[in-house]
Amino acid sequence: MAVRLVDLAKPFLPLLPEVELPIGSLPFDDKVMYTIGASFVYLLAQLPVYGGAKVTGDPISFLRPAFGAERGTLLEFGVFPIISSGIIFQLLAGLKLIKVNLANRTDRQLFQSLQKLFAIFQYVVLTNIFVATGYYGYNLSFWQVILINFQLITTGFIMTLTTEVIDKGYGFGSGCLTFVTVNASSNFVGDILGINAVKTTRGSETQGAVINLIGQIRNAPFKNAILNAFTRPYLPNLIQGYVTLATLAVAIYLQNFRIELPIRSNRVRAVNNIYPIRLLYTGAMPLLFSYVVLFYLNIIGYTIVNLGLKNDSSNPLVKVLGAYTSTAFGGSFVVEKPSIIYFFSPPASLTQAITSPLKTIGFALIVIVSSAFFANTWSLISGSAPRDIAQQFKEQGISLAGRRDISISKELNRVIPVAAVSGATVLAVVSLIGDFFGGKGKSAGVLIACGTAFSFLEIIATEYQQSGGSQNFSQLFGGLGQQ
């Protein structure tokens, strides 16, 4: 008898805690509190890692915003292992590369447990890669290594269960995307209005770009203060703030683009409506997938060069893959000379994007092609694939106006993949433009957060209306719901 991949999770079922599905539909207020509570758990996890030296040489700095990862904290890898595990196994199942019947309760439980196991496994592997390559310092004692492992892996396990709480229906939407949204929002406020002082080569400066501008105007010549506020490369600057706002505005604008297919009821005459197909049909998932690909490419290259080849710039293989160097400020660990890994990260500024066209084109192709591939694939294998929608139309007695029933699937196949790929490509281009202006990966985080926020608003509005508006929730907001 053949062993299926999901069966590998069977021995671990008694050891893995599982969040049970809620009994019945939870009240709106409860979902709000669960979502807020889970967000607080995420924010509390942003404590520094204890036991190692001061972290240096961050090889994934531009990837952190897309996964809610915070350097040097218990959220060192954010929710990347959880997101990547979910995307990989959903793709494998959708493409029929693994045998699983998600309509079967046992298979579904094994499938979810396997995703959870792979996420925890990634936390273990990533932690030990960073420890072995000296990210937390060299010559660590045995107990320091154990302590760092315990902190990061335990936090990863807690975050895995916390996301499962929201995913199982106790909160709104996706747990991972909730945390990415919380991270993007808090970091944006910190980048603009942060008051914490940071020691730089120019002295002590505040993190927030606006607060720094005010301080610079008071203590330096006006021209120098303005120039520094807009161009400082080592801390958030006003150009990055404006790029973030522009990215957010474009993301909101794109939410309104859609194709409206006229539909009619086959059961009730003269009942006509429209079925909207949005440009962002697959949301920000394709962009998230492209950053998962980039994360794997970067972490594999980082491991080979630093762990296997000791980052020896005289080694011919290191010259081909890329030698890592630390930036002057900020501690990023990057490959600055043309090589394979060189193309796996965005240009650091608009100047570099212009003067290094090969890097710009290479990185852009990776993001755009991977996003388009995922969007096309996902639009055909997910629960919102054309054949699934056509089946729903048939069950509900709905057809496209002016089309025969047999042509519904054909028409949807003509429209949906095009919308999905087009939307994914547009989002990828918007993200790239933000990176080329020095966004350092934050544009991707903003786009993912914006898409998540819109889906949350739709879910919350629908559930709030269906619940009739809870008295407790209304009182929480000063009785606005009763007006």
Side-chain angles (χ1 to χ4, degrees):
M1 182 178 178
V3 178
R4 300 177 304 163
L5 183 61
V6 293
D7 291 333
L8 297 177
K10 282 184 177 179
F12 299 94
L13 288 181
L15 304 175
L16 282 177
E18 181 181 359
V19 178
E20 294 291 338
L21 289 169
I23 301 175
S25 180
L26 287 180
F28 179 82
D29 288 4
D30 288 356
K31 289 192 173 184
V32 171
M33 297 311 298
Y34 271 111
T35 304
I36 294 175
S39 299
F40 271 115
V41 171
Y42 169 82
L43 292 173
L44 288 173
Q46 294 182 6
L47 296 172
V49 174
Y50 178 77
K54 184 178 180 181
V55 297
T56 57
D58 185 4
I60 56 171
S61 57
F62 81 95
L63 294 164
R64 293 187 181 280
F67 303 108
E70 291 292 336
R71 177 186 172 195
T73 72
L74 298 178
L75 291 171
E76 188 71 71
F77 310 110
V79 290
F80 165 77
I82 307 170
I83 289 176
S84 59
S85 178
I87 288 178
I88 289 171
F89 281 98
Q90 290 290 343
L91 276 177
L92 291 176
L95 294 172
K96 309 298 182 184
L97 297 178
I98 59 175
K99 294 182 179 180
V100 58
N101 180 12
L102 295 178
N104 181 278
R105 185 178 181 276
T106 302
D107 271 22
R108 188 167 59 251
Q109 184 182 22
L110 288 172
F111 185 69
Q112 293 170 351
S113 297
L114 189 61
Q115 290 183 55
K116 194 184 304 181
L117 277 173
F118 186 61
I120 296 170
F121 172 75
Q122 288 191 93
Y123 277 113
V124 174
V125 172
L126 290 171
T127 297
N128 286 282
I129 286 175
F130 273 42
V131 169
T133 54
Y135 179 82
Y136 292 105
Y138 296 95
N139 301 318
L140 297 177
S141 68
F142 172 78
W143 292 111
Q144 283 179 300
V145 172
I146 293 297
L147 181 59
I148 293 172
N149 269 268
F150 175 78
Q151 292 173 87
L152 294 181
I153 296 170
T154 301
T155 302
F157 184 69
I158 292 172
M159 295 312 301
T160 302
L161 293 178
T162 306
T163 57
E164 190 176 359
V165 169
I166 296 181
D167 293 342
K168 286 290 182 71
Y170 290 91
F172 297 110
S174 164
C176 288
L177 297 184
T178 298
F179 300 146
V180 173
T181 303
V182 171
N183 179 264
S185 304
S186 59
N187 281 347
F188 176 70
V189 173
D191 289 348
I192 299 298
L193 300 174
I195 60 175
N196 54 306
V198 180
K199 291 183 178 180
T200 71
T201 54
R202 299 165 60 97
S204 181
E205 295 186 18
T206 53
Q207 179 185 353
V210 173
I211 303 299
N212 174 68
L213 173 61
I214 296 172
Q216 289 288 320
I217 289 176
R218 294 175 58 187
N219 302 317
F222 182 78
K223 182 179 179 181
N224 293 343
I226 295 296
L227 184 63
N228 179 61
F230 275 89
T231 61
R232 61 177 184 171
Y234 39 81
L235 285 173
N237 58 53
L238 288 178
I239 289 181
Q240 293 172 350
Y242 284 124
V243 168
T244 300
L245 290 175
T247 303
L248 182 61
V250 172
I252 294 172
Y253 181 67
L254 291 175
Q255 298 289 334
N256 298 317
F257 281 84
R258 62 184 186 178
I259 298 173
E260 297 180 346
L261 299 179
I263 58 176
R264 60 181 176 84
S265 174
N266 298 327
R267 299 170 182 172
V268 182
R269 291 185 178 182
V271 175
N272 299 311
N273 210 328
I274 58 170
Y275 185 80
I277 297 178
R278 296 181 177 179
L279 175 66
L280 304 182
Y281 188 76
T282 51
M285 287 294 291
L287 184 61
L288 199 56
F289 172 78
S290 72
Y291 270 71
V292 167
V293 172
L294 285 168
F295 193 106
Y296 281 129
L297 291 175
N298 276 276
I299 208 67
I300 290 172
Y302 171 76
T303 303
I304 294 174
V305 171
N306 290 277
L307 194 58
L309 304 174
K310 306 302 180 183
N311 199 27
D312 181 6
S313 58
S314 63
N315 188 312
L317 188 54
V318 172
K319 292 180 180 179
V320 173
L321 292 174
Y324 282 83
T325 57
S326 296
T327 55
F329 184 85
S332 293
F333 213 34
V334 297
V335 175
E336 296 181 333
K337 294 183 179 180
S339 55
I340 294 176
I341 303 174
Y342 174 76
F343 297 101
F344 297 161
S345 60
S349 63
L350 182 60
T351 302
Q352 190 181 86
I354 296 173
T355 57
S356 306
L358 288 179
K359 181 182 181 71
T360 302
I361 295 172
F363 181 76
L365 284 176
I366 293 174
V367 175
I368 293 174
V369 171
S370 58
S371 293
F373 163 77
F374 180 86
N376 182 65
T377 304
W378 192 251
S379 68
L380 297 176
I381 66 174
S382 66
S384 55
R387 64 177 182 274
D388 299 316
I389 297 175
Q391 181 62 33
Q392 294 172 16
F393 278 12
K394 183 177 180 180
E395 293 173 354
Q396 297 172 11
I398 296 174
S399 62
L400 295 177
R403 296 285 192 277
R404 293 178 299 173
D405 290 347
I406 58 174
S407 66
I408 293 178
S409 182
K410 183 179 179 181
E411 181 70 15
L412 293 175
N413 267 310
R414 185 181 67 84
V415 176
I416 289 178
V418 173
V421 172
S422 300
T425 303
V426 170
L427 272 190
V429 170
V430 172
S431 174
L432 288 168
I433 292 173
D435 282 341
F436 296 160
F437 274 91
K440 300 180 180 178
K442 292 180 181 179
S443 294
V446 170
L447 291 171
I448 294 168
C450 183
T452 304
F454 265 88
S455 64
F456 280 5
L457 287 175
E458 292 179 355
I459 295 171
I460 291 172
T462 301
E463 296 207 13
Y464 185 62
Q465 290 174 356
Q466 291 176 350
S467 67
S470 171
Q471 182 179 359
N472 293 334
F473 188 73
S474 300
Q475 291 176 350
L476 182 63
F477 289 90
L480 293 176
Q482 300 174 352
Q483 295 179 1

